[in-house]
Amino acid sequence: MKAIAHLGAFLTASAWGASFLCTKVLMIDGGFTPVEMYVYRFAMAYLLLLLFTFRKIFSNNWRDECLFLLCGVCAGSLYFITENYALQNTSTANVSLLGSISPLFTAAIMALVFRTKVGAGVVIGSVVAFIGVTCVIFSGGDGFVIKPTGDLLALSASLSWAIYSIAVKRLIPIYSGLFITRKLFFYGVITALPLLFWHQVATHEPYHLALLFDFSKPQLGLNFLFLVVFCSLLAYLIWNEVMRVLGPVATNNYLYLQPLVTMIAAYFVLGEQIYPLGYAGCAFIIGGLVLADKLKFSARRNQLRKV
């Protein structure tokens, strides 16, 4: 079961890593704004999920409903919108690096607030993988330049995802993955709609939704379809099920794979060069994930021997 969970986390992180390229195509070739991209993508995913889960609309009680609202904001509107606006106020390298701190935030909150014991293997593996992410991000020669506004937004997005990972843990034993994912999408889209309307009115920009059905530009529809089906619908379903098995800390460590996948995809799709520091980063990321898993099992074996 755990082997399947690890595979699911790997595939999900890979899809999210490739999603940056699809989003880039839609924003550059189609002119979609960051808020438009989020709303259209997750609204479509929500409607698709609703076809399979329409019999149960509300959760069991208002406490759970408020928790779903928190998760929808933290894993949806707040996370994506702060990350997108961070890109406008700081470098891509800064956003990628600061966004990768989410697993460390998750481990720290679990340990400090909820008094949950985090294994040494997970911490060591997480730090090693983070070093790898740093190598990958800066392998192109970009440096880290402090830009407070954008950097704080990127850190906010990272913290937001960590809060979601911990909050959804309380819902996973009670509700199905389909129901949880659908509720996340609903509250994420609903809370992002006011910002979408405000932005369009303030800038007088047109809505670009019709471009997704423009057969003269099939690349827009295909990239959007990939984002909806694989990066939103299937990815969130699998991710929530993986957290049911591995827990939020171990699962979030797979987020370190995103910059790695983005780098490899950019090499094959865009022809971007991979530098030696990038290869070193690959080794650190994979090594960190292996350490987090193997050291954990070694600790368990030692405990069993003592017993």
Side-chain angles (χ1 to χ4, degrees):
M1 187 66 177
K2 286 194 174 183
I4 297 175
H6 283 295
L7 177 61
F10 172 80
L11 293 175
T12 302
S14 299
W16 284 339
S19 70
F20 289 107
L21 299 179
C22 297
T23 303
K24 186 175 182 178
V25 170
L26 287 163
M27 293 180 67
I28 294 177
D29 295 348
F32 290 86
T33 66
V35 183
E36 269 190 304
M37 279 303 310
Y38 171 74
V39 172
Y40 297 161
R41 169 182 165 183
F42 283 91
M44 182 63 71
Y46 171 77
L47 292 175
L48 290 175
L49 273 178
L50 192 61
L51 295 175
F52 303 98
T53 59
F54 61 88
R55 292 184 178 179
K56 183 177 177 63
I57 301 298
F58 297 102
S59 56
N60 297 339
N61 51 67
W62 282 107
R63 181 181 178 182
D64 288 352
E65 199 69 31
C66 291
L67 202 54
F68 275 119
L69 171 60
L70 174 65
C71 291
V73 171
C74 289
S77 54
L78 181 61
Y79 174 78
F80 281 96
I81 292 172
T82 52
E83 185 178 68
N84 288 338
Y85 279 105
L87 288 169
Q88 296 181 349
N89 290 276
T90 189
S91 67
T92 303
N94 285 28
V95 174
S96 299
L97 182 64
L98 296 173
S100 299
I101 298 177
S102 182
L104 297 177
F105 274 142
T106 305
I109 294 173
M110 292 289 289
L112 297 176
V113 178
F114 296 97
R115 304 296 181 183
T116 301
K117 188 176 181 180
V118 179
V122 174
V123 175
I124 294 172
S126 183
V127 172
V128 171
F130 182 73
I131 293 172
V133 168
T134 306
C135 292
V136 168
I137 291 169
F138 297 129
S139 63
D142 296 330
F144 187 92
V145 180
I146 296 177
K147 296 183 178 180
T149 301
D151 293 343
L152 286 174
L153 285 170
L155 279 173
S156 298
S158 184
L159 178 59
S160 175
W161 186 269
I163 293 172
Y164 150 71
S165 301
I166 295 169
V168 78
K169 185 180 179 183
R170 297 176 178 270
L171 300 169
I172 286 175
I174 305 172
Y175 302 95
S176 68
L178 282 170
F179 185 80
I180 291 173
T181 305
R182 195 200 76 207
K183 297 292 284 187
L184 297 184
F185 291 173
F186 173 77
Y187 281 118
V189 171
I190 288 297
T191 51
L193 281 176
L195 184 58
L196 172 63
F197 296 146
W198 172 82
H199 181 270
Q200 299 302 113
V201 171
T203 60
H204 302 287
E205 289 187 19
Y207 293 97
H208 300 88
L209 184 61
L211 291 176
L212 298 174
F213 306 96
D214 186 354
F215 294 105
S216 66
K217 297 181 178 179
Q219 75 275 15
L220 298 180
L222 291 174
N223 278 280
F224 181 73
L225 191 63
F226 177 78
L227 287 173
V228 170
V229 176
F230 291 98
C231 301
S232 298
L233 203 157
L234 292 178
Y236 273 80
L237 282 173
I238 294 172
W239 194 258
N240 287 328
E241 290 301 320
V242 169
M243 282 203 289
R244 192 190 303 271
V245 178
L246 301 180
V249 177
T251 302
N252 269 0
N253 272 349
Y254 276 91
L255 293 176
Y256 291 127
L257 286 173
Q258 289 187 60
L260 173 60
V261 173
T262 303
M263 180 184 70
I264 295 173
Y267 172 78
F268 287 103
V269 177
L270 302 178
E272 295 183 2
Q273 187 177 352
I274 299 178
Y275 298 92
L277 193 59
Y279 290 110
C282 293
F284 274 112
I285 292 171
I286 296 172
L289 293 174
V290 172
L291 280 174
D293 189 51
K294 295 301 181 182
L295 288 179
K296 178 176 59 178
F297 286 122
S298 297
R300 287 181 178 176
R301 282 197 295 269
N302 292 334
Q303 288 178 354
L304 291 174
R305 286 173 184 171
K306 291 180 182 179
V307 175

